[in-house]
Amino acid sequence: MSLHADHFLGMENIECLNMSYNFINQRLDGTQFWHLASLRHLDLSYNRFDLYYYLALSELPNLKVLNLANNNYQFMMNGINHRLVFMENLTSLIELNLNNNLIGLRTTKELKNPSLEKLHFQKNLLHSMWLSGKDTYITIFTNLTRLKYLDISYNSLEVIPGKALENLPMSLEYLILSHNQLYSFHWDNIAHLSNLTHLDLGFNSLTLLSSNFTSGRSQLTFLNLKYNKISSLKKEFFSAYPKLQYLFLDYNQIKTIDRDSFPQALLLTLNHLDISNNPFDCTCHTSWFIKFLMETNITVEHLSTKMKCDAPDTMRKKSLLYMDPQSCQDLYGHKCFVYSTVLLIVLMSLTTIWKLFSWDLWYLSQVIMASMRRYSKLRGDANEEYDAFVAFNTKDHAVTDWVYHELLEHLERPEMNMFNLCLEQRDWTPGKSSIENLYEAIYKSKKTVLILTREGFSSGLLRHAFLMCHQRLLDEKKDVLVLVILDNKMKMSKYLMTRRRICPQTFLNWPRNPRAHSHFWYSLRMMLRWDSRRYYNPHLRKQLIQ
């Protein structure tokens, strides 16, 4: 199918003509619409028209709206030059749609029209025309001197050269750059667009917002940055746009918004804010923003439905409004709170240490005092006056009764090969400190028997007797320790577990079966007579005893 002027006879007065979806493959030369001089709106989308001729459509002097979208058939042919110079003759044209034509290289270097105000240029090949290092098409839109609306979305742009932005018409009011692949944008290069009010950069890959443009001459009132990868906001950037009223930041990577994100002047002019669907950190750093949301008169989109926390885990997927800003206070701004907290921690630490380690501290002080008084350590077998020192918790009446009525009966009777035992309540020297008596009892005895119940080393005396015996092992290479466990359910401490690995035979458990008591006393007597080295593993004996 092809068009001829005769096809439109009798239609001289029509103002709107829709010829879309006819797939007409024809080169327009300025004669096809000769009888349509009154035509104002022409839709030629989804055809295959060739616009190479300079006089194409020149027969339509009153044409205001022209739709040439999806006429990409001619532009798909490689190696053929294409021209768009026909636009110069359309002196009444206000809106032109060139979407989805694959307009790229080997085409007109500059588009010229004295009246065009609105240009749709989606889904073309600007990314190849504005390749870095090539200035051939830098001024492609410069001579559209009355252009107010420019849509160059869906052009696969990764970066727009600064010179291309500088050569955009100064008359621009709307600039649509959405649905590209922009990872950076030269904000400073649009400073000359003093009439620009709407800027759409949505659906790109921007990560940072930074600008040196601070003159405050920008008339921008609408800024769309949705669906990018922006992670932080700085008030220095927004200070360049003091008249901003609509701001869209939804679907980015913003985690925190604080006092340094927006200038105060912006919060006074802003009417509409969308910052939903961001991975907010619901910590005290967000408290200022939550308080702002509760008090502001700005319309905040999706405030209760799509503004949710991403961290910490306890707040994940919960609404940002769940946080109570009153629970977050500036610690460093309240000196009294800091001082009182430090004082409370110190007092609690001192009381806890005194409760848990009072005996240890007392023992340490006694050791220091003893070293200052130059106490000398007892040496040699001549000083061993006792066969064994029996250490137990004297405050436990059951254990005391067992020691005096069982252990002494079986070890100190003459018919049982009498042993000479040392007991705290019976044999310690009155007037001496406990640490001195304990020291002498251990070093004057061939063996030290510790009687342990379920509480283990609950008594400070038992704990330090155990440690002194190990110290004697290190100093004199003598293992003098024997442990008697009265309760099999006693929880083993790290000291006892270490001891059991080194020499398990020195542990004697009081049997529940009365018939086994005689064997227990026999084993205890053997332990008091024999050298403990015979029970050691040969490798451990070489390392610890020899």
Side-chain angles (χ1 to χ4, degrees), residues 71-86:
N71 276 268
N72 54 18
Y73 180 77
Q74 301 295 333
F75 292 98
M76 291 172 61
M77 297 181 180
N78 296 326
I80 299 177
N81 290 330
H82 309 285
R83 299 203 304 172
L84 296 172
V85 292
F86 74 95

Side-chain angles (χ1 to χ4, degrees), residues 98 133 139 190 195 285 298 326 328 355 357:
L98 293 174
T139 59
I190 62 171
N195 295 310
H285 296 291
I298 300 172
Q326 299 298 328
C328 296
K355 178 65 177 178
F357 306 105

Side-chain angles (χ1 to χ4, degrees), residues 243-303:
K243 296 185 179 181
L244 199 61
Q245 297 180 14
Y246 296 86
L247 178 60
F248 297 87
L249 290 162
D250 45 317
Y251 291 96
N252 277 279
Q253 301 297 321
I254 302 170
K255 294 185 177 182
T256 304
I257 297 178
D258 52 28
R259 297 178 187 273
D260 295 328
S261 299
F262 300 120
Q264 189 62 32
L266 175 64
L267 300 180
L268 296 176
T269 60
L270 202 63
N271 292 329
H272 190 101
L273 175 64
D274 190 349
I275 199 165
S276 59
N277 294 289
N278 278 280
F280 291 109
D281 283 343
C282 291
T283 60
C284 286
H285 296 291
T286 317
S287 60
W288 175 88
F289 183 53
I290 297 173
K291 186 177 180 180
F292 162 77
L293 292 175
M294 293 179 177
E295 298 176 353
T296 185
N297 293 323
I298 300 172
T299 300
V300 181
E301 290 286 341
H302 312 293
L303 176 59

Side-chain angles (χ1 to χ4, degrees), residues 330-349:
D330 189 358
L331 179 63
Y332 301 100
H334 302 279
K335 294 183 179 180
C336 293
F337 176 75
V338 173
Y339 295 152
S340 60
T341 301
V342 172
L343 180 61
L344 181 61
I345 293 174
V346 171
L347 290 176
M348 291 183 64
S349 300

